[in-house]
């Protein structure tokens, strides 16, 4: 079968692409930007749903396509952006498919149509309804929470999983999570057993779990005992969601808060009756993912960044404030006095603050880490040559430079390159 896969570089799209190719389907894949060809069997084309929403001629469906699969989506709380991408842009895509008489498989989300106050689900529901009324042969597949390597939600869960005490927004709401491989399996089953009429079908795991139970599954897969969980006080959750809205956090905002407090479940037999596919219990998929070392790194890295920021900004503030005279005494001990000493203390403090600021800017973070390593190595060498007795400080102030250098090197090596 010749398939046009829209959104092939996303979490769902990447897994679907690999599954379709592995099962012998000819795939034309699309992404917002030009994409490097990782699979020689796949033809890549550029398709931006935002542009398609305003210009239906932005994209032309290639000849010979048998099926359109739309796996594109936008994880956001911006209502206008969601409407443009997941509603208007997606409708325009469906119109192109209708003009060609194509079958359409649309990956939506469980809860679409049931939670109109959640912008993400509301925009999905609008596109779902439009497709069902378009008169084409279509299946709207609504998966529950998908977990697996590379997923945004999965990333948040793995960051939480190492901690023995975990605060959650809710302890009672149930969901039916499934591994992303089960979504690929369900799609392949639908391609083999395409229904006669258009359908909206939930795709859910066989177990209804609370978020705490899901995290315990992830912990068990990594060799850890069940954790203890605390429900975040309502006022604190609301304050965090308010901050998340303004800072653009994907893991904590009012949308997440609303979804976290509601059951989101469905009957797994509906899909089984349609194409014979049932998702497996989640634990059966948790073999290579999550990985304990990667989860610990993901959990500790934000904490390490926060501590390093505190050290660099704190050092700058102390040296310009209560530690200023102490800095002058150290300079005098090294034989530097007067204006030169005052200049050196102020310059060093401003340099520390600048390097701390560089850590806050993602595009400059790697350079900031490299500069920090160079600065700490220089400080350590100068102290060794000029003030060697500082090595015998009972609090090991100089020796702790080595620990900071190793921590900075770890942050540098684990910093994403994109």
């Amino acid at each position: 079968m010749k398939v046009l896969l829209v959104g092939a570089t996303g979490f769902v799209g990447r897994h679907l692409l690999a599954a379709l190719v592995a099962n012998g389907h000819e795939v034309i894949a699309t992404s917002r930007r030009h994409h490097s060809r990782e699979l020689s069997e796949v033809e890549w084309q550029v398709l931006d749903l935002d542009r398609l929403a305003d210009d239906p001629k932005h994209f032309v469906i290639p000849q010979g396509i048998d099926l359109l699969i739309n796996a594109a989506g936008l994880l956001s709380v911006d209502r206008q952006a969601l409407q443009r991408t997941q509603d208007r842009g997606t409708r325009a895509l469906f119109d192109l498919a209708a003009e060609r008489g194509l079958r359409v498989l649309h990956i939506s989300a469980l809860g679409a149509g049931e939670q109109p106050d959640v912008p993400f689900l509301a925009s999905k529901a609008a596109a779902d309804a439009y497709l069902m009324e378009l008169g084409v042969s279509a299946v709207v597949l609504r998966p529950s929470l998908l977990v697996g390597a590379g997923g945004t939600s999965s990333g948040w869960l793995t960051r939480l999983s190492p901690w023995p005490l975990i605060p959650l927004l809710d302890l009672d709401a149930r969901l039916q999570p499934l591994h992303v491989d089960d979504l690929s399996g369900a799609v392949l089953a639908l391609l083999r057993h395409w229904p006669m009429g258009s359908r909206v079908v939930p795709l859910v795991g066989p177990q209804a779990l609370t978020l705490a139970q899901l995290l315990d599954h992830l912990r068990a897969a990594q060799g850890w005992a069940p954790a203890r969980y605390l429900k975040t006080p309502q006022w604190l959750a609301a304050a965090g969601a308010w901050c998340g809205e303004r800072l653009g956090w994907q893991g904590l905002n009012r949308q997440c808060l609303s979804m976290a407090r509601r059951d989101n479940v469905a009957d797994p037999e509906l899909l089984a009756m349609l194409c014979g596919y049932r998702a497996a219990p989640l634990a059966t998929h948790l073999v290579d993912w999550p990985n304990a070392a990667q989860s610990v790194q993901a959990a500790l890295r934000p904490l390490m960044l926060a501590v390093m920021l505190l050290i660099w900004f704190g050092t700058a503030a102390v040296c310009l404030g209560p530690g200023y005279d102490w800095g002058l005494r150290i300079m005098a001990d090294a034989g530097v006095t007067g204006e030169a000493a005052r200049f050196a203390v102020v310059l060093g403090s401003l340099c520390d603050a600048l390097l701390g600021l560089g850590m806050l800017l993602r595009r400059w973070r790697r350079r900031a880490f490299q500069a920090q390593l160079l600065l700490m190595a220089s400080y350590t060498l100068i102290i060794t040559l000029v003030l060697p007795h500082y090595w015998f400080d009972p609090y090991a102030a100089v020796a702790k430079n080595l620990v900071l250098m190793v921590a900075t090197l770890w942050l540098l090596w684990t910093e994403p390159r994109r």
Side-chain angles (χ1 to χ4, degrees):
M1 184 179 294
K2 191 170 184 179
V3 177
L4 175 64
L5 176 59
V6 177
T9 56
F11 173 50
V12 170
R14 291 196 307 273
H15 286 83
L16 273 179
L17 178 61
L20 290 167
V21 171
N23 281 267
H25 295 285
E26 182 181 353
V27 182
I28 297 178
T30 79
S31 63
R32 284 176 176 253
R33 301 172 185 85
H34 291 283
H35 193 267
S36 59
R37 301 190 177 193
E38 298 174 355
L39 296 171
S40 58
E41 309 96 316
V42 178
E43 176 185 342
W44 286 92
Q45 295 194 12
V46 175
L47 169 56
D48 185 339
L49 290 179
D50 289 358
R51 286 186 59 189
L52 191 65
D54 300 320
D55 179 15
K57 296 181 180 179
H58 160 61
F59 183 75
V60 177
I61 293 181
Q63 295 294 329
I65 296 295
D66 301 303
L67 173 70
L68 165 68
I69 299 179
N70 178 39
L74 180 66
L75 187 58
S76 173
V77 294
D78 186 331
R79 287 182 180 272
Q80 292 185 344
L82 288 166
Q83 289 173 355
R84 185 170 57 250
T85 302
Q86 295 192 158
D87 184 5
R88 294 195 295 113
T90 302
R91 291 189 193 201
L93 178 66
F94 294 158
D95 287 337
L96 294 180
E99 291 173 5
R100 291 288 185 87
L102 300 181
R103 291 183 292 173
V104 177
L105 175 55
H106 174 51
I107 310 299
S108 181
L110 191 66
E114 299 172 6
Q115 301 183 35
D117 58 324
V118 177
F120 173 79
L121 295 176
S123 59
K124 284 284 190 183
D128 296 354
Y130 185 80
L131 179 59
M132 288 294 98
E133 297 172 358
L134 200 55
V136 299
S137 179
V139 173
V140 172
L141 194 60
R142 289 178 170 172
S144 182
L145 176 66
L146 295 168
V147 299
T152 300
S153 298
S154 299
W156 284 103
L157 292 171
T158 53
R159 286 185 185 93
L160 287 174
S161 66
W163 302 104
L165 181 64
I166 303 175
L168 296 176
L169 297 176
D170 190 271
L171 299 179
D172 300 316
R174 300 173 304 146
L175 61 158
Q176 289 169 273
L178 68 157
H179 196 273
V180 67
D181 287 347
D182 270 318
L183 183 141
S184 298
V187 168
L188 293 173
L190 285 167
L191 266 57
R192 292 190 297 268
H193 305 283
W194 191 261
M196 295 296 295
S198 295
R199 303 287 183 88
V200 177
V201 189
L203 171 60
V204 296
Q207 301 163 294
L209 305 173
T210 64
L211 189 57
Q213 290 170 330
L214 170 57
L215 281 164
D216 278 344
H217 274 75
L218 299 183
R219 286 177 59 83
Q222 297 172 89
W224 298 323
R228 295 179 65 86
Y229 299 93
L230 296 175
K231 183 175 180 179
T232 305
Q234 189 168 352
W235 66 268
L236 183 58
W242 184 88
C243 292
E245 291 278 343
R246 282 143 188 82
L247 296 175
W249 296 345
Q250 292 184 340
L252 181 59
N253 48 58
R254 285 179 294 178
Q255 179 171 264
C256 294
L257 188 59
S258 177
M259 290 191 292
R261 291 173 171 171
R262 300 174 183 174
D263 284 349
N264 199 21
V265 296
D267 184 359
E269 291 302 312
L270 296 176
L271 179 66
M273 290 186 291
L274 189 64
C275 64
Y277 190 85
R278 292 179 176 83
L282 184 60
T284 62
H285 284 290
L286 304 181
V287 179
D288 299 322
W289 178 92
N291 175 276
Q294 293 174 352
S295 297
V296 169
Q297 175 181 307
L300 289 182
R301 197 169 191 284
L303 183 61
M304 182 74 78
L305 278 171
V307 170
M308 294 297 280
L309 279 169
L310 179 63
I311 289 174
W312 286 97
F313 283 131
T315 301
V318 168
C319 286
L320 290 175
Y324 180 72
D325 291 337
W326 194 350
L328 292 179
R329 288 197 295 271
I330 294 174
M331 296 305 297
D333 201 11
V336 181
T337 58
E339 288 297 324
R342 286 189 285 273
F343 177 77
V345 171
V346 172
L347 181 63
S349 301
L350 294 178
C351 186
D352 289 347
L354 185 63
L355 291 177
L357 182 62
M359 294 174 63
L360 291 175
L361 305 174
R362 187 178 295 275
R363 61 179 298 184
W364 294 108
R365 192 174 291 161
R366 293 183 62 82
R367 296 295 186 191
F369 290 147
Q370 292 166 351
Q372 288 170 5
L373 286 168
L374 179 61
L375 182 63
M376 286 187 286
S378 300
Y379 279 166
T380 305
L381 179 60
I382 291 171
I383 289 171
T384 301
L385 296 176
V386 180
L387 302 168
H389 57 281
Y390 275 74
W391 278 99
F392 304 108
D393 175 2
Y395 293 103
V398 178
K400 288 171 183 173
N401 262 2
L402 303 178
V403 178
L404 289 177
M405 291 173 69
V406 171
T408 303
L409 190 62
W410 182 80
L411 286 171
L412 175 62
W413 285 349
T414 58
E415 176 69 19
R417 292 186 177 270
R418 293 183 179 179

